[in-house]
Coordinates of all heavy atoms in Angstrom, one line a residue:
M1432 N 14.4 8.0 2.5 CA 13.9 6.6 2.8 C 12.4 6.6 2.4 O 11.6 7.5 2.6 CB 14.1 6.4 4.3 CG 13.6 5.0 4.7 SD 13.9 4.8 6.5 CE 14.0 3.0 6.5
K1433 N 12.0 5.6 1.8 CA 10.7 5.4 1.3 C 9.6 5.3 2.5 O 10.1 4.8 3.5 CB 10.4 4.1 0.6 CG 10.8 4.4 -0.9 CD 10.5 3.0 -1.7 CE 11.5 1.9 -1.3 NZ 11.2 0.7 -1.9
K1434 N 8.5 5.9 2.4 CA 7.6 6.0 3.5 C 6.8 4.7 3.5 O 6.2 4.3 4.6 CB 6.7 7.1 3.4 CG 7.5 8.4 3.7 CD 6.6 9.7 3.8 CE 7.4 10.8 4.2 NZ 7.1 12.0 3.4
I1435 N 6.6 4.2 2.4 CA 5.7 3.1 2.3 C 6.5 1.8 1.8 O 7.2 1.9 0.8 CB 4.5 3.3 1.3 CG1 3.8 4.6 1.7 CG2 3.6 2.1 1.1 CD1 2.5 4.5 2.4
H1436 N 6.4 0.7 2.5 CA 7.1 -0.5 2.1 C 6.2 -1.6 1.8 O 5.1 -1.6 2.2 CB 8.1 -0.9 3.2 CG 9.2 0.1 3.6 ND1 10.1 -0.3 4.4 CD2 9.3 1.3 3.3 CE1 11.0 0.7 4.5 NE2 10.5 1.8 3.9
K1437 N 6.7 -2.6 1.0 CA 6.0 -3.8 0.7 C 5.7 -4.5 2.0 O 6.6 -4.5 2.9 CB 6.8 -4.7 -0.1 CG 6.2 -5.9 -0.8 CD 7.1 -6.6 -1.6 CE 6.4 -8.0 -1.9 NZ 7.4 -8.9 -2.6
G1438 N 4.5 -4.9 2.2 CA 4.2 -5.7 3.4 C 3.6 -4.8 4.5 O 3.0 -5.2 5.5
D1439 N 3.6 -3.4 4.3 CA 3.0 -2.5 5.3 C 1.5 -2.6 5.1 O 0.9 -2.9 4.2 CB 3.3 -1.1 4.9 CG 4.7 -0.6 5.3 OD1 5.3 -1.3 6.1 OD2 5.2 0.4 4.9
R1440 N 0.8 -2.4 6.4 CA -0.6 -2.3 6.4 C -0.9 -0.8 6.3 O -0.3 0.0 7.0 CB -1.1 -2.9 7.7 CG -2.6 -3.1 7.6 CD -3.1 -4.1 8.6 NE -4.6 -4.0 8.5 CZ -5.2 -4.8 7.5 NH1 -4.5 -5.5 6.8 NH2 -6.5 -4.7 7.3
V1441 N -1.7 -0.3 5.3 CA -1.9 0.9 5.0 C -3.4 1.3 4.9 O -4.3 0.3 4.8 CB -1.2 1.5 3.7 CG1 0.3 1.4 3.8 CG2 -1.8 0.7 2.5
I1442 N -3.7 2.6 5.1 CA -5.1 3.0 4.9 C -5.0 4.1 3.7 O -4.2 4.9 3.7 CB -5.6 3.6 6.2 CG1 -7.2 3.9 6.0 CG2 -4.8 4.8 6.9 CD1 -7.8 4.1 7.3
V1443 N -6.2 4.0 3.0 CA -6.3 5.0 1.9 C -7.0 6.3 2.6 O -8.0 6.1 3.1 CB -7.1 4.5 0.7 CG1 -7.2 5.5 -0.5 CG2 -6.6 3.2 0.3
I1444 N -6.4 7.5 2.2 CA -7.0 8.7 2.9 C -7.7 9.5 1.8 O -8.2 10.6 2.1 CB -6.0 9.5 3.6 CG1 -4.7 9.7 2.8 CG2 -5.5 8.7 4.8 CD1 -3.8 10.8 3.2
A1445 N -7.6 9.2 0.6 CA -8.2 10.1 -0.4 C -8.7 9.3 -1.5 O -8.2 8.1 -1.8 CB -7.3 11.2 -0.9
G1446 N -9.6 9.7 -2.3 CA -10.1 9.0 -3.6 C -11.3 8.0 -3.3 O -11.8 8.2 -2.2
D1447 N -11.7 7.3 -4.2 CA -12.7 6.5 -4.2 C -12.6 5.4 -3.2 O -13.6 5.0 -2.6 CB -13.0 5.8 -5.5 CG -13.3 6.7 -6.7 OD1 -13.7 7.9 -6.4 OD2 -13.2 6.3 -7.8
D1448 N -11.4 5.0 -2.8 CA -11.3 3.9 -1.9 C -10.9 4.4 -0.4 O -10.4 3.8 0.3 CB -10.1 3.0 -2.3 CG -10.4 2.4 -3.7 OD1 -11.4 1.5 -3.6 OD2 -9.8 2.6 -4.6
R1449 N -11.2 5.7 -0.2 CA -10.9 6.3 1.0 C -11.4 5.5 2.3 O -12.6 5.1 2.2 CB -11.5 7.7 1.0 CG -11.3 8.6 2.2 CD -11.9 9.9 2.0 NE -11.7 10.6 3.2 CZ -12.0 11.9 3.4 NH1 -12.4 12.6 2.4 NH2 -11.8 12.4 4.5
G1450 N -10.6 5.4 3.3 CA -11.0 4.6 4.4 C -10.8 3.1 4.3 O -10.8 2.4 5.3
K1451 N -10.4 2.6 3.1 CA -10.1 1.1 3.0 C -8.7 0.8 3.5 O -7.8 1.6 3.4 CB -10.3 0.7 1.6 CG -11.7 0.7 1.2 CD -11.9 0.2 -0.1 CE -13.3 0.3 -0.6 NZ -13.4 0.1 -2.2
E1452 N -8.5 -0.4 4.0 CA -7.2 -0.8 4.6 C -6.8 -2.0 3.8 O -7.5 -2.9 3.4 CB -7.3 -1.2 6.0 CG -7.6 0.0 6.9 CD -7.8 -0.4 8.4 OE1 -7.3 -1.5 8.8 OE2 -8.3 0.4 9.1
G1453 N -5.5 -2.1 3.6 CA -4.9 -3.3 3.0 C -3.5 -3.4 3.1 O -2.8 -2.5 3.7
V1454 N -2.9 -4.6 2.7 CA -1.4 -4.8 2.8 C -0.8 -4.4 1.4 O -1.3 -4.8 0.4 CB -1.2 -6.2 3.2 CG1 0.3 -6.5 3.1 CG2 -1.8 -6.5 4.5
V1455 N 0.3 -3.6 1.5 CA 1.0 -3.3 0.2 C 1.7 -4.5 -0.4 O 2.4 -5.3 0.3 CB 2.0 -2.3 0.6 CG1 2.9 -1.9 -0.7 CG2 1.4 -1.1 1.2
L1456 N 1.2 -4.8 -1.7 CA 1.8 -5.9 -2.4 C 3.1 -5.6 -3.1 O 4.0 -6.4 -3.3 CB 0.8 -6.5 -3.4 CG -0.5 -7.1 -2.8 CD1 -1.4 -7.5 -3.9 CD2 -0.3 -8.2 -1.8
K1457 N 3.1 -4.3 -3.6 CA 4.1 -3.8 -4.5 C 4.2 -2.3 -4.4 O 3.2 -1.7 -4.4 CB 3.7 -4.3 -6.0 CG 4.9 -4.4 -6.9 CD 4.4 -4.8 -8.2 CE 5.5 -4.6 -9.3 NZ 5.1 -4.7 -10.6
V1458 N 5.6 -1.9 -4.4 CA 5.7 -0.5 -4.4 C 6.5 -0.1 -5.7 O 7.4 -0.7 -6.1 CB 6.6 0.0 -3.1 CG1 7.0 1.5 -3.3 CG2 5.8 -0.2 -1.9
D1459 N 6.0 0.9 -6.3 CA 6.7 1.5 -7.6 C 7.2 2.9 -7.1 O 6.5 3.8 -7.4 CB 5.7 1.5 -8.8 CG 6.4 1.8 -10.1 OD1 7.5 2.5 -10.0 OD2 5.8 1.5 -11.1
S1460 N 8.4 2.9 -6.7 CA 8.8 4.1 -6.2 C 9.1 5.1 -7.3 O 9.0 6.4 -7.1 CB 10.2 4.0 -5.3 OG 11.0 3.1 -5.9
A1461 N 9.5 4.7 -8.5 CA 9.7 5.6 -9.6 C 8.5 6.3 -10.0 O 8.5 7.6 -10.2 CB 10.2 4.8 -10.8
K1462 N 7.2 5.7 -9.8 CA 6.0 6.3 -10.2 C 5.3 6.9 -8.9 O 4.2 7.6 -9.0 CB 5.0 5.3 -10.9 CG 5.5 5.1 -12.3 CD 4.5 4.1 -13.0 CE 4.9 3.8 -14.4 NZ 4.4 2.6 -14.9
G1463 N 5.8 6.5 -7.8 CA 5.2 7.0 -6.5 C 3.8 6.3 -6.2 O 3.0 6.8 -5.7
K1464 N 3.8 5.0 -6.7 CA 2.4 4.4 -6.5 C 2.7 3.0 -5.9 O 3.8 2.5 -5.9 CB 1.8 4.1 -8.0 CG 1.3 5.4 -8.5 CD 0.7 5.3 -9.9 CE 0.2 6.5 -10.5 NZ -1.0 6.9 -10.0
A1465 N 1.6 2.4 -5.3 CA 1.7 1.1 -4.8 C 0.5 0.3 -5.0 O -0.6 1.0 -5.2 CB 1.8 1.4 -3.1
I1466 N 0.7 -1.0 -5.1 CA -0.5 -1.9 -5.2 C -0.9 -2.4 -3.9 O -0.1 -2.9 -3.2 CB -0.1 -3.1 -6.1 CG1 0.4 -2.6 -7.5 CG2 -1.4 -4.1 -6.3 CD1 -0.5 -2.6 -8.6
I1467 N -2.1 -2.3 -3.5 CA -2.6 -2.7 -2.2 C -3.6 -3.8 -2.4 O -4.5 -3.7 -3.2 CB -3.2 -1.5 -1.4 CG1 -2.1 -0.5 -1.2 CG2 -3.6 -2.0 0.0 CD1 -2.6 0.9 -1.6
E1468 N -3.4 -4.9 -1.6 CA -4.2 -6.0 -1.7 C -5.6 -5.6 -1.4 O -6.0 -5.0 -0.5 CB -3.7 -7.0 -0.6 CG -4.4 -8.4 -0.8 CD -3.9 -9.4 0.3 OE1 -3.5 -8.9 1.3 OE2 -3.9 -10.5 -0.1
G1469 N -6.6 -6.1 -2.4 CA -7.9 -5.8 -2.3 C -8.4 -4.4 -2.5 O -9.6 -4.1 -2.3
I1470 N -7.6 -3.5 -2.9 CA -8.0 -2.1 -3.0 C -7.8 -1.6 -4.5 O -6.8 -2.0 -5.1 CB -7.2 -1.2 -2.0 CG1 -7.6 -1.5 -0.6 CG2 -7.4 0.3 -2.4 CD1 -7.0 -0.7 0.4
H1471 N -8.8 -0.8 -4.9 CA -8.8 -0.2 -6.1 C -8.7 -1.0 -7.3 O -7.8 -1.1 -8.1 CB -7.5 0.7 -6.2 CG -7.6 2.0 -7.2 ND1 -8.8 2.6 -7.4 CD2 -6.8 2.4 -8.2 CE1 -8.6 3.4 -8.3 NE2 -7.4 3.4 -8.7
F1472 N -9.8 -2.0 -7.3 CA -9.9 -2.9 -8.4 C -10.3 -2.1 -9.6 O -11.2 -1.2 -9.6 CB -11.0 -3.9 -8.0 CG -10.5 -5.0 -7.2 CD1 -10.8 -5.0 -5.8 CD2 -9.7 -6.0 -7.7 CE1 -10.4 -6.1 -5.0 CE2 -9.2 -7.0 -6.9 CZ -9.6 -7.0 -5.6
V1473 N -9.9 -2.6 -10.8 CA -10.3 -2.1 -12.0 C -10.7 -3.3 -12.8 O -10.1 -4.4 -12.7 CB -9.3 -1.2 -12.8 CG1 -9.2 0.1 -12.2 CG2 -7.9 -1.9 -12.9
K1474 N -11.7 -3.1 -13.6 CA -12.2 -4.2 -14.5 C -11.4 -4.2 -15.8 O -11.3 -3.1 -16.4 CB -13.6 -4.1 -14.7 CG -14.4 -4.4 -13.4 CD -15.9 -4.5 -13.8 CE -16.6 -5.1 -12.6 NZ -17.5 -4.1 -11.9
R1475 N -10.9 -5.3 -16.2 CA -10.3 -5.4 -17.5 C -10.8 -6.4 -18.3 O -11.2 -7.5 -17.8 CB -8.8 -5.7 -17.2 CG -8.0 -4.4 -16.9 CD -6.5 -4.7 -16.8 NE -5.9 -3.6 -16.1 CZ -4.8 -3.6 -15.5 NH1 -4.1 -4.7 -15.5 NH2 -4.3 -2.4 -14.9
H1476 N -11.0 -6.1 -19.5 CA -11.6 -7.1 -20.4 C -10.6 -8.1 -20.9 O -9.5 -7.7 -21.3 CB -12.3 -6.6 -21.6 CG -13.5 -5.8 -21.1 ND1 -14.7 -6.4 -21.1 CD2 -13.7 -4.5 -20.8 CE1 -15.7 -5.5 -20.6 NE2 -15.0 -4.4 -20.4
Q1477 N -10.8 -9.4 -20.6 CA -9.8 -10.4 -20.9 C -10.2 -11.1 -22.3 O -11.3 -11.6 -22.4 CB -9.8 -11.4 -19.7 CG -8.8 -12.3 -19.9 CD -7.4 -12.0 -19.1 OE1 -7.1 -10.9 -19.2 NE2 -6.7 -13.0 -18.7
K1478 N -9.1 -11.3 -23.1 CA -9.4 -12.0 -24.3 C -9.4 -13.5 -23.9 O -8.8 -13.9 -23.0 CB -8.4 -11.8 -25.3 CG -8.5 -10.4 -26.0 CD -7.4 -10.3 -27.1 CE -7.4 -8.8 -27.6 NZ -6.2 -8.5 -28.3
P1479 N -10.2 -14.3 -24.7 CA -10.2 -15.7 -24.4 C -8.8 -16.3 -24.5 O -8.1 -16.0 -25.4 CB -11.2 -16.2 -25.4 CG -12.0 -15.1 -25.9 CD -11.1 -13.8 -25.8
T1480 N -8.6 -17.1 -23.6 CA -7.3 -17.9 -23.7 C -7.6 -19.3 -23.5 O -8.8 -19.7 -23.1 CB -6.3 -17.5 -22.6 OG1 -6.9 -17.8 -21.2 CG2 -5.9 -16.0 -22.6
R1481 N -6.6 -20.2 -23.6 CA -6.8 -21.7 -23.4 C -7.3 -22.0 -21.9 O -8.2 -22.7 -21.7 CB -5.6 -22.3 -23.6 CG -5.9 -23.9 -24.1 CD -4.7 -24.5 -24.5 NE -4.1 -24.0 -25.8 CZ -3.0 -24.4 -26.4 NH1 -2.2 -25.3 -25.7 NH2 -2.6 -23.9 -27.6
A1482 N -6.7 -21.2 -21.0 CA -7.0 -21.5 -19.6 C -8.5 -20.9 -19.3 O -9.2 -21.4 -18.4 CB -6.0 -20.8 -18.8
A1483 N -8.8 -19.8 -19.9 CA -10.1 -19.2 -19.7 C -10.8 -18.9 -21.1 O -10.8 -17.8 -21.6 CB -9.9 -17.8 -18.9
P1484 N -11.4 -20.0 -21.6 CA -11.9 -19.9 -23.0 C -13.0 -19.0 -23.2 O -13.3 -18.4 -24.3 CB -12.4 -21.3 -23.3 CG -12.1 -22.1 -22.1 CD -11.6 -21.2 -21.1
Q1485 N -13.7 -18.5 -22.2 CA -14.8 -17.5 -22.2 C -14.3 -16.2 -22.3 O -15.0 -15.2 -22.6 CB -15.7 -17.7 -21.0 CG -16.2 -19.1 -20.6 CD -17.2 -19.5 -21.6 OE1 -18.1 -18.8 -22.0 NE2 -17.0 -20.7 -22.0
G1486 N -13.1 -15.9 -22.0 CA -12.6 -14.6 -21.9 C -13.3 -13.9 -20.7 O -13.5 -14.6 -19.7
G1487 N -13.7 -12.7 -20.8 CA -14.5 -12.1 -19.7 C -13.8 -10.9 -19.0 O -12.9 -10.4 -19.6
I1488 N -14.4 -10.6 -17.9 CA -13.9 -9.5 -17.2 C -13.1 -9.9 -16.0 O -13.5 -10.7 -15.2 CB -15.0 -8.6 -16.7 CG1 -15.8 -8.1 -18.0 CG2 -14.6 -7.4 -15.9 CD1 -17.2 -7.5 -17.7
L1489 N -11.8 -9.3 -16.0 CA -11.0 -9.7 -14.9 C -10.8 -8.4 -13.9 O -10.7 -7.3 -14.5 CB -9.7 -10.0 -15.6 CG -8.5 -10.4 -14.7 CD1 -8.6 -11.9 -14.4 CD2 -7.1 -10.2 -15.4
E1490 N -11.0 -8.7 -12.7 CA -10.7 -7.6 -11.7 C -9.4 -7.7 -11.1 O -8.9 -8.7 -10.7 CB -11.8 -7.7 -10.6 CG -13.3 -7.3 -11.2 CD -14.1 -6.8 -10.1 OE1 -13.7 -6.3 -9.2 OE2 -15.3 -7.0 -10.3
K1491 N -8.7 -6.6 -11.2 CA -7.3 -6.6 -10.8 C -7.1 -5.3 -10.0 O -7.6 -4.2 -10.4 CB -6.4 -6.7 -12.0 CG -5.1 -7.2 -11.7 CD -4.4 -7.3 -13.1 CE -2.9 -7.9 -12.9 NZ -2.3 -7.7 -11.7
E1492 N -6.2 -5.4 -8.9 CA -5.8 -4.3 -8.3 C -5.0 -3.3 -9.1 O -4.1 -3.7 -9.9 CB -4.9 -4.6 -7.1 CG -5.7 -5.2 -5.9 CD -5.5 -6.8 -5.8 OE1 -5.1 -7.3 -6.8 OE2 -5.6 -7.3 -4.8
S1493 N -5.2 -2.0 -9.1 CA -4.4 -1.0 -9.8 C -3.7 -0.1 -8.9 O -4.1 0.0 -7.7 CB -5.3 -0.3 -10.8 OG -6.0 0.6 -10.1
P1494 N -2.6 0.4 -9.3 CA -1.9 1.3 -8.4 C -2.6 2.4 -7.8 O -3.4 3.1 -8.4 CB -0.7 1.6 -9.2 CG -0.7 0.8 -10.5 CD -2.2 0.4 -10.7
V1495 N -2.3 2.7 -6.5 CA -2.8 3.9 -5.8 C -1.6 4.9 -5.6 O -0.5 4.4 -5.2 CB -3.3 3.5 -4.4 CG1 -3.8 4.6 -3.6 CG2 -4.5 2.5 -4.7
D1496 N -1.9 6.1 -5.8 CA -0.8 7.1 -5.5 C -0.4 7.0 -4.0 O -1.3 7.1 -3.1 CB -1.5 8.5 -5.9 CG -0.3 9.4 -6.1 OD1 0.5 9.8 -5.3 OD2 -0.2 9.8 -7.3
M1497 N 0.9 7.0 -3.8 CA 1.3 6.8 -2.5 C 1.1 8.0 -1.5 O 1.0 7.8 -0.3 CB 2.8 6.5 -2.4 CG 3.1 5.1 -2.7 SD 4.8 4.5 -2.2 CE 5.7 4.8 -3.6
S1498 N 0.7 9.2 -2.1 CA 0.4 10.4 -1.3 C -1.0 10.1 -0.8 O -1.3 10.9 0.2 CB 0.5 11.6 -2.2 OG -0.4 11.6 -3.3
N1499 N -1.7 9.3 -1.2 CA -3.1 9.0 -0.7 C -3.0 7.9 0.3 O -4.1 7.4 0.7 CB -4.0 8.5 -1.9 CG -4.4 9.7 -2.8 OD1 -4.1 10.8 -2.5 ND2 -4.9 9.3 -3.9
L1500 N -1.9 7.4 0.8 CA -1.8 6.3 1.7 C -1.1 6.8 3.0 O -0.2 7.6 3.0 CB -1.0 5.2 1.1 CG -1.5 4.6 -0.2 CD1 -0.5 3.6 -0.8 CD2 -2.8 3.9 0.0
L1501 N -1.5 6.1 4.1 CA -0.8 6.3 5.4 C -0.6 4.9 5.9 O -1.4 4.0 5.8 CB -1.7 7.1 6.4 CG -1.8 8.7 6.2 CD1 -2.8 9.2 7.3 CD2 -0.5 9.2 6.3
V1502 N 0.6 4.8 6.6 CA 0.9 3.5 7.2 C 0.1 3.4 8.5 O 0.0 4.4 9.2 CB 2.4 3.4 7.5 CG1 2.8 2.1 8.2 CG2 3.2 3.6 6.2
I1503 N -0.4 2.2 8.7 CA -1.1 2.1 10.0 C -0.2 1.7 11.2 O 0.6 0.8 11.0 CB -2.3 0.9 9.8 CG1 -3.3 1.5 8.9 CG2 -2.9 0.7 11.2 CD1 -4.4 0.5 8.6
C1504 N -0.3 2.5 12.2 CA 0.5 2.1 13.4 C -0.3 1.1 14.2 O -1.5 1.5 14.6 CB 0.9 3.5 14.2 SG 1.4 3.2 15.9
G1505 N 0.3 0.1 14.7 CA -0.4 -1.0 15.5 C -0.8 -0.4 16.8 O -1.8 -0.9 17.4
K1506 N 0.0 0.4 17.3 CA -0.3 1.0 18.7 C -1.4 2.0 18.7 O -2.3 2.0 19.5 CB 1.0 1.6 19.3 CG 1.2 1.5 20.7 CD 2.6 1.9 21.1 CE 2.6 2.1 22.6 NZ 3.9 2.6 23.1
C1507 N -1.3 2.9 17.7 CA -2.4 4.0 17.6 C -3.6 3.3 16.9 O -4.7 3.9 17.0 CB -1.9 5.1 16.7 SG -0.6 6.0 17.3
N1508 N -3.4 2.2 16.2 CA -4.5 1.5 15.5 C -5.1 2.5 14.5 O -6.4 2.6 14.4 CB -5.6 1.0 16.5 CG -6.4 -0.1 15.7 OD1 -6.0 -0.7 14.8 ND2 -7.6 -0.3 16.2
A1509 N -4.3 3.4 13.8 CA -4.8 4.3 12.8 C -3.8 4.6 11.9 O -2.6 4.4 12.1 CB -5.2 5.6 13.5
G1510 N -4.1 5.2 10.8 CA -3.1 5.7 9.8 C -2.3 6.9 10.4 O -3.0 7.9 10.9
V1511 N -1.1 6.9 10.3 CA -0.2 7.8 10.9 C 0.9 8.3 9.9 O 1.3 7.7 9.0 CB 0.4 7.4 12.1 CG1 -0.6 7.1 13.2 CG2 1.3 6.2 11.9
K1512 N 1.3 9.5 10.2 CA 2.6 9.9 9.5 C 3.8 9.4 10.2 O 3.7 9.1 11.3 CB 2.7 11.5 9.5 CG 1.5 12.2 8.8 CD 2.0 13.4 8.1 CE 1.1 13.9 7.0 NZ 0.0 14.8 7.4
T1513 N 4.8 9.0 9.3 CA 6.0 8.4 9.9 C 7.1 9.4 9.9 O 7.2 10.4 9.0 CB 6.2 7.1 9.2 OG1 6.6 7.4 7.9 CG2 5.2 6.1 9.2
R1514 N 8.2 9.2 10.7 CA 9.4 9.9 10.6 C 10.5 8.9 10.6 O 10.2 7.8 11.1 CB 9.5 10.8 11.8 CG 9.6 10.2 13.1 CD 9.4 11.3 14.1 NE 9.3 10.7 15.5 CZ 10.3 10.4 16.3 NH1 11.6 10.7 16.0 NH2 10.1 9.7 17.4
T1515 N 11.6 9.3 10.2 CA 12.8 8.4 10.1 C 13.7 8.5 11.3 O 13.9 9.7 11.7 CB 13.6 8.6 8.8 OG1 12.7 8.5 7.7 CG2 14.6 7.6 8.6
M1516 N 13.9 7.4 11.9 CA 14.8 7.5 13.1 C 16.1 6.7 12.8 O 16.0 5.7 12.2 CB 14.1 6.7 14.3 CG 13.4 7.7 15.3 SD 12.5 6.8 16.5 CE 13.4 5.4 16.9
A1517 N 17.1 7.3 13.3 CA 18.4 6.6 13.1 C 18.7 5.8 14.3 O 18.6 6.4 15.5 CB 19.6 7.7 12.8
L1518 N 19.1 4.6 14.3 CA 19.4 3.8 15.4 C 21.0 4.0 15.7 O 21.7 4.5 14.9 CB 19.2 2.4 15.1 CG 17.7 2.0 14.9 CD1 17.5 0.5 14.7 CD2 16.8 2.4 16.0
S1519 N 21.4 3.5 16.9 CA 22.7 3.6 17.3 C 23.7 2.8 16.3 O 24.9 3.3 16.1 CB 23.0 3.2 18.7 OG 22.5 1.9 18.9
D1520 N 23.2 1.9 15.6 CA 24.1 1.1 14.8 C 24.1 1.7 13.4 O 24.7 1.2 12.5 CB 23.7 -0.4 14.7 CG 22.3 -0.6 13.9 OD1 21.7 0.4 13.7 OD2 22.0 -1.7 13.8
G1521 N 23.5 2.9 13.2 CA 23.5 3.5 11.9 C 22.4 3.2 11.0 O 22.0 3.9 9.9
S1522 N 21.6 2.2 11.3 CA 20.4 1.8 10.4 C 19.3 2.8 10.7 O 19.3 3.4 11.8 CB 20.1 0.3 10.7 OG 19.6 0.1 12.0
K1523 N 18.5 2.8 9.8 CA 17.3 3.7 9.9 C 16.0 3.0 10.0 O 15.8 2.0 9.3 CB 17.3 4.7 8.7 CG 18.3 5.8 8.9 CD 18.3 6.6 7.6 CE 19.4 7.7 7.8 NZ 19.6 8.4 6.6
V1524 N 15.1 3.4 10.8 CA 13.7 2.8 10.9 C 12.8 3.9 10.9 O 13.1 5.1 11.1 CB 13.5 2.0 12.3 CG1 14.5 0.7 12.3 CG2 13.8 3.0 13.4
R1525 N 11.5 3.5 10.5 CA 10.5 4.5 10.5 C 9.7 4.3 11.9 O 9.6 3.3 12.5 CB 9.4 4.1 9.4 CG 10.0 4.4 8.1 CD 9.1 3.7 7.0 NE 8.9 2.3 7.3 CZ 7.8 1.6 6.9 NH1 7.0 2.2 6.0 NH2 7.7 0.4 7.1
A1526 N 9.3 5.5 12.3 CA 8.6 5.4 13.6 C 7.3 6.4 13.4 O 7.2 7.1 12.6 CB 9.4 6.0 14.7
C1527 N 6.3 6.0 14.3 CA 5.1 6.8 14.3 C 5.2 8.1 14.9 O 6.0 8.3 15.8 CB 4.1 6.0 15.1 SG 2.5 6.8 15.4
R1528 N 4.7 9.1 14.1 CA 4.9 10.4 14.5 C 4.2 10.9 15.8 O 4.3 11.7 16.6 CB 4.5 11.4 13.5 CG 5.8 12.2 12.9 CD 5.3 13.1 11.9 NE 6.2 13.0 10.8 CZ 6.5 13.9 10.0 NH1 6.0 15.1 10.0 NH2 7.3 13.6 9.0
K1529 N 3.1 10.0 16.0 CA 2.2 10.3 17.1 C 2.7 9.7 18.4 O 2.8 10.3 19.4 CB 0.8 9.6 16.8 CG -0.3 10.6 16.8 CD -1.6 9.8 16.5 CE -2.6 10.7 15.8 NZ -3.8 9.8 15.4
C1530 N 3.0 8.4 18.4 CA 3.4 7.7 19.6 C 4.9 7.3 19.7 O 5.3 6.9 20.8 CB 2.5 6.5 19.9 SG 2.8 5.2 18.7
G1531 N 5.5 7.5 18.6 CA 7.0 7.1 18.6 C 7.3 5.6 18.5 O 8.5 5.3 18.3
E1532 N 6.3 4.9 18.3 CA 6.5 3.4 18.1 C 7.2 3.1 16.8 O 6.9 3.7 15.7 CB 5.0 2.7 18.1 CG 5.2 1.2 17.9 CD 5.4 0.4 19.3 OE1 5.6 1.2 20.3 OE2 5.3 -0.8 19.3
M1533 N 8.2 2.3 16.8 CA 8.9 1.9 15.6 C 8.0 1.0 14.7 O 7.4 0.1 15.2 CB 10.2 1.3 15.9 CG 11.3 2.1 16.4 SD 12.9 1.1 16.4 CE 13.3 1.5 18.2
L1534 N 8.1 1.3 13.5 CA 7.2 0.5 12.5 C 8.2 -0.4 11.8 O 9.1 0.0 11.2 CB 6.4 1.5 11.6 CG 5.5 2.5 12.3 CD1 5.1 3.5 11.2 CD2 4.4 1.7 12.9
A1535 N 7.9 -1.7 11.9 CA 8.8 -2.6 11.2 C 8.6 -2.5 9.7 O 7.6 -2.1 9.2 CB 8.4 -4.1 11.6
S1536 N 9.7 -2.7 9.0 CA 9.8 -2.7 7.6 C 8.9 -3.9 7.1 O 8.7 -4.9 7.8 CB 11.1 -2.7 7.0 OG 11.7 -1.5 7.2
G1537 N 8.5 -3.8 5.8 CA 7.7 -4.9 5.3 C 8.3 -6.3 5.4 O 9.5 -6.4 5.2
K1538 N 7.6 -7.3 5.6 CA 8.2 -8.7 5.7 C 7.8 -9.4 4.5 O 6.8 -9.1 3.9 CB 7.6 -9.4 6.9 CG 8.1 -8.8 8.1 CD 7.1 -9.2 9.4 CE 7.2 -8.0 10.3 NZ 5.9 -7.3 10.3
Ligands
ZN2170 ZN1 1.4 5.3 16.9

């Protein structure tokens, strides 16, 4: 089961964006990376288009390695490790390893 889901609130624990929080916009499980809203902007030079005749520099979120992310537990109010819990109906959910609170999947 994936540890990070789309819609999760996460905190970056390593790298230049360490300590920043944001919501996961996209998960690329094949590459083990995720795009997080407002985090890890890179500047890209944009060629002029009809919509933006000046061209210019576009800032865009770039993927962050998922090993550098922790899901934020609302109860602990901190980035936590998660574990997978099986429910009685056979479905699986993620739970906070610290307090045991179930973490909802991304909405
Ligand atoms: Zn917790």
Side-chain angles (χ1 to χ4, degrees):
M1432 191 181 198
K1433 278 184 289 175
K1434 287 186 176 133
I1435 308 261
H1436 293 194
K1437 189 180 169 185
D1439 281 346
R1440 196 161 177 79
V1441 296
I1442 183 163
V1443 183
I1444 54 164
D1447 292 344
D1448 296 293
R1449 189 174 168 171
K1451 290 185 189 166
E1452 295 177 14
V1454 175
V1455 176
L1456 298 177
K1457 202 178 162 194
V1458 172
D1459 187 340
S1460 43
K1462 288 185 181 150
K1464 288 175 185 281
I1466 304 261
I1467 302 133
E1468 189 175 29
I1470 290 183
H1471 204 43
F1472 278 106
V1473 286
K1474 290 191 170 108
R1475 278 188 193 155
H1476 292 274
Q1477 182 93 327
K1478 283 183 187 158
T1480 61
R1481 200 171 295 173
Q1485 306 292 315
I1488 295 168
L1489 185 79
E1490 289 200 29
K1491 203 175 181 332
E1492 288 103 338
S1493 73
V1495 177
D1496 204 292
M1497 283 201 268
S1498 63
N1499 291 344
L1500 301 172
L1501 284 178
V1502 178
I1503 293 176
C1504 167
K1506 210 168 168 187
C1507 298
N1508 201 23
V1511 294
K1512 294 220 163 87
T1513 59
R1514 63 193 171 91
T1515 305
M1516 259 175 38
L1518 299 180
S1519 50
D1520 68 357
S1522 62
K1523 285 178 179 169
V1524 293
R1525 293 168 305 160
C1527 169
R1528 247 183 230 207
K1529 244 184 203 168
C1530 70
E1532 182 85 349
M1533 279 187 236
L1534 303 168
S1536 289
K1538 288 157 216 107

